[in-house]
Amino acid sequence: MTAPSTSSPGLWQGGLRFWLLVLLIPGVVALLLYDSWEDDRAMNAVTENVYDSALLEPAKVLETSVEFNADGSLRIDPPFYAQVMLESRPGNRKYFRVEEVTPLVRNLGGADALQLKGRTMLGMEGLPRPERLADHEGVPVFYDAFFRNDTVRMVALWRDLHYKGMHRQVLVIVGESMDLRLRTQQQAWREGIFRNLRMVVLAVLMVWFAVAWALRPLQVLRQEVRSRSVDDLRPLDERDVPREVVPLVRSINHHIELYQAVLERQARFLADASHQLRTPLAIIHTQAQYARREPDIERVRESLGAIIKQLGQATRLTEQLLALAHASHHTSMAQGQVDLASLGREAVLQYLPLARERRQDLGWIAPGEDGGQAPVWVYASDVEVHESLANLIHNAINHAGSGASITVSAGYDEQQAWVSVTDNGMGLAASLRESVFVRFDRGGPSRKGGRGSGSGLGLAIALAYAERNGGTIVLTDGEPNEIGGYGLKATLRLPRYRPATQPDLPGKSGS
């Protein structure tokens, strides 16, 4: 049973709708709150201006209603409509006072109203005055005050009166409770909040349905993918998806192409492997039937020896097929600092008995001076590099021929470390050197006749392991042979590794 995944949910697990709402709605709400605050300020200013204008009107009427008597005293005779304007109503209480300033002040403009003394001509005693009067006659001063346990809005204005050389000063104060204007402002604020809440709900619905509409092509694409059969690897159609999703569809199509290429390689590999294994198995089956029918014990032994030899070749072929399958896999083994010279020496010692059996001279040239063993550092997988080098040496032993000389050496050049396998066998034509890296290709008729029984997998495996570690394999001319030609030199090249504490080491240049 598959173990449950312990990974945490992805960042976008909530979906596009959720994240659009999370990212957009707070901003919309913040904008609406700021807009509400601005609207509230503007509405309060308008409300104050309207109510203050309405408050100033009866004050002006009272101011103009003050007149001189014949004896020089002042009288006030407000008109009826002024009395109506000053009448208190539920939720809108009115207060007023008209007083004559006594004694006279030289100039009431900007005077301290709290220090003035006066005689009430009309209205209520104790009505609060402003701190200072206006600088000019007839100019109102609006202020907030507290009177009879009531918060009131007040207006005050003063006037100089002159008649036949007589001079009088009058101060008019009118106020009203703030209940009505506060209710008006609160009502406007509530309506603004309700209006903004409707906008938020509308924005949420618009985002929700807009995302649903925008994702419809993806839903169609999803249905298309789910309705496909397992072996349907056609690319997805990118014409009907949003432009922002086209890169994703192209990436999926690219992955489909890679997956299709992997499947094709696997199919070719299985076909080639079955073909290669069928031949030795058929030969073994034929030899076994022949041995069963043969009465002569010597010939039976010869058949059994041939069967054992064929089994060895089949075993080698199977191992190479498994190695090629591993080398073709994309996941490489753990890498680290590897001494290429040590791997080369180990591989030579490993194949020395096989070379002696073939009567070949297999030797190792250390990269150090005076015969010393200097390291050749690379950063790679030691197992994979060893397998690549082992296949190069085995390929040389298999194809160089009896009596050949095979030399393995390692060293540095400017950018790369290298290890080479050089022989003086029959060699390989330059035109065939690329094709031998194709699996099951033995390099044409010149290498298929009599000098080796390889399966054509050795160099393909060696190159696959080299490329997995960032390297390559180069085939060039080897040592001169007996017929005036040249053998073959296979050079495994890997990126040079320079540790911070490791000085540059001397090495031979490999060509």
Side-chain angles (χ1 to χ4, degrees):
M1 184 175 63
T2 305
S5 175
T6 58
S7 59
S8 59
L11 175 64
W12 297 99
Q13 191 70 29
L16 289 178
R17 290 190 186 93
F18 172 79
W19 281 108
L20 283 175
L21 292 176
V22 168
L23 296 176
L24 292 180
I25 297 306
V28 173
V29 171
L31 290 176
L32 290 177
L33 288 176
Y34 178 77
D35 185 64
S36 299
W37 178 70
E38 289 286 345
D39 290 345
D40 186 63
R41 288 182 57 194
M43 180 59 67
N44 288 342
V46 171
T47 305
E48 291 290 336
N49 187 43
V50 170
Y51 278 91
D52 286 349
S53 298
L55 183 64
L56 179 62
E57 186 175 353
K60 286 286 189 181
V61 172
L62 291 176
E63 176 197 15
T64 57
S65 299
V66 180
E67 297 178 352
F68 277 96
N69 292 316
D71 59 356
S73 62
L74 297 177
R75 73 174 186 274
I76 179 168
D77 188 14
F80 178 74
Y81 68 86
Q83 299 177 21
V84 173
M85 287 189 293
L86 292 173
E87 183 180 353
S88 295
R89 296 179 180 86
N92 188 19
R93 294 170 294 279
K94 298 292 184 69
Y95 309 96
F96 64 92
R97 179 184 178 189
V98 181
E99 61 179 306
E100 180 184 359
V101 178
T102 57
L104 294 176
V105 179
R106 181 177 182 181
N107 184 13
L108 284 178
D112 186 354
L114 300 179
Q115 301 298 324
L116 296 177
K117 296 181 180 179
R119 177 183 64 87
T120 301
M121 299 177 59
L122 183 68
M124 307 170 183
E125 294 285 348
L127 204 60
R129 295 174 179 173
E131 293 183 359
R132 291 191 177 277
L133 299 180
D135 293 334
H136 301 284
E137 180 183 5
V139 176
V141 173
F142 292 94
Y143 59 99
D144 295 332
F146 194 76
F147 181 65
R148 293 181 179 178
N149 296 323
D150 197 4
T151 302
V152 293
R153 179 70 170 173
M154 310 291 294
V155 61
L157 51 87
W158 60 272
R159 181 183 178 189
D160 282 323
L161 299 175
H162 298 273
Y163 177 73
K164 294 181 179 183
M166 292 180 291
H167 180 209
R168 298 287 186 273
Q169 294 174 328
V170 175
L171 178 62
V172 178
I173 301 175
V174 176
E176 68 176 355
S177 63
M178 299 183 66
D179 297 346
L180 183 58
R181 69 173 65 195
L182 289 177
R183 285 199 301 270
T184 302
Q185 292 175 350
Q186 291 173 356
Q187 180 65 23
W189 182 80
R190 284 193 295 267
E191 290 179 357
I193 291 297
F194 179 70
R195 187 169 53 250
N196 290 333
L197 287 176
R198 286 185 300 178
M199 290 296 297
V200 170
V201 174
L202 181 61
V204 170
L205 293 177
M206 289 179 61
V207 170
W208 188 270
F209 289 107
V211 172
W213 180 83
L215 292 180
R216 286 183 61 189
L218 296 184
Q219 294 292 338
V220 174
L221 185 65
R222 172 177 172 270
Q223 292 298 330
E224 178 188 352
V225 174
R226 289 177 64 90
S227 62
R228 287 188 175 190
S229 59
V230 177
D231 56 348
D232 187 354
L233 297 178
R234 292 174 299 165
L236 301 177
D237 189 0
E238 64 182 51
R239 292 175 298 178
D240 296 330
V241 297
R243 181 174 55 190
E244 293 79 7
V245 185
V246 169
L248 174 62
V249 175
R250 289 178 178 174
S251 299
I252 293 175
N253 287 338
H254 177 66
H255 183 73
I256 290 175
E257 292 176 1
L258 295 178
Y259 183 66
Q260 190 172 16
V262 170
L263 292 180
E264 291 175 354
R265 287 198 301 269
Q266 290 180 349
R268 289 197 303 268
F269 176 80
L270 291 175
D272 293 340
S274 62
H275 174 73
Q276 293 294 324
L277 288 173
R278 189 183 298 114
T279 301
L281 292 177
I283 294 175
I284 293 173
H285 183 265
T286 302
Q287 290 172 337
Q289 289 182 334
Y290 175 79
R292 187 177 62 176
R293 294 193 304 265
E294 182 59 49
D296 190 350
I297 191 63
E298 291 299 328
R299 291 185 178 182
V300 171
R301 289 177 178 175
E302 290 178 2
S303 298
L304 291 177
I307 290 174
I308 293 173
K309 181 179 180 181
Q310 196 67 39
L311 283 174
Q313 293 177 357
T315 301
R316 171 64 182 172
L317 176 60
T318 303
E319 292 174 350
Q320 286 186 315
L321 288 172
L322 293 175
L324 180 60
H326 179 269
S328 301
H329 198 270
H330 292 287
T331 305
S332 61
M333 301 181 68
Q335 295 181 334
Q337 184 178 345
V338 177
D339 181 9
L340 201 57
S342 296
L343 292 180
R345 185 173 180 275
E346 292 175 4
V348 168
L349 294 176
Q350 176 183 349
Y351 282 96
L352 190 60
L354 180 60
R356 289 177 177 174
E357 181 182 339
R358 303 283 180 90
R359 297 194 301 273
Q360 295 169 338
D361 182 13
L362 176 60
W364 163 251
I365 298 179
E369 297 179 355
D370 300 328
Q373 177 76 25
V376 178
W377 297 112
V378 295
Y379 189 81
S381 167
D382 55 350
V383 176
E384 294 177 350
V385 173
H386 180 273
E387 185 67 20
S388 178
L389 182 56
N391 277 277
L392 292 181
I393 296 176
H394 186 274
N395 186 76
I397 293 174
N398 200 38
H399 294 285
S402 179
S405 175
I406 303 173
T407 303
V408 181
S409 59
Y412 286 122
D413 57 21
E414 293 182 359
Q415 299 294 332
Q416 293 180 313
W418 54 267
V419 58
S420 64
V421 180
T422 309
D423 65 64
N424 61 350
M426 298 300 295
L428 181 64
S431 60
L432 300 176
R433 289 174 184 171
E434 291 296 329
S435 65
V436 294
F437 291 107
V438 179
R439 58 193 180 192
F440 304 115
D441 192 308
R442 297 178 176 85
S446 62
R447 287 175 66 87
K448 293 178 183 178
R451 294 190 302 113
S453 57
S455 61
L457 291 174
L459 290 179
I461 295 172
L463 180 62
Y465 277 124
E467 290 177 343
R468 280 162 62 95
N469 290 273
T472 187
I473 295 175
V474 180
L475 299 182
T476 54
D477 290 337
E479 298 293 335
N481 54 31
E482 297 176 353
I483 59 175
Y486 292 89
L488 186 65
K489 179 179 182 180
T491 304
L492 169 62
R493 292 182 172 274
L494 294 169
R496 184 173 180 176
Y497 176 67
R498 295 185 177 93
T501 58
Q502 177 70 30
D504 289 342
L505 300 174
K508 296 183 180 181
S509 176
S511 58

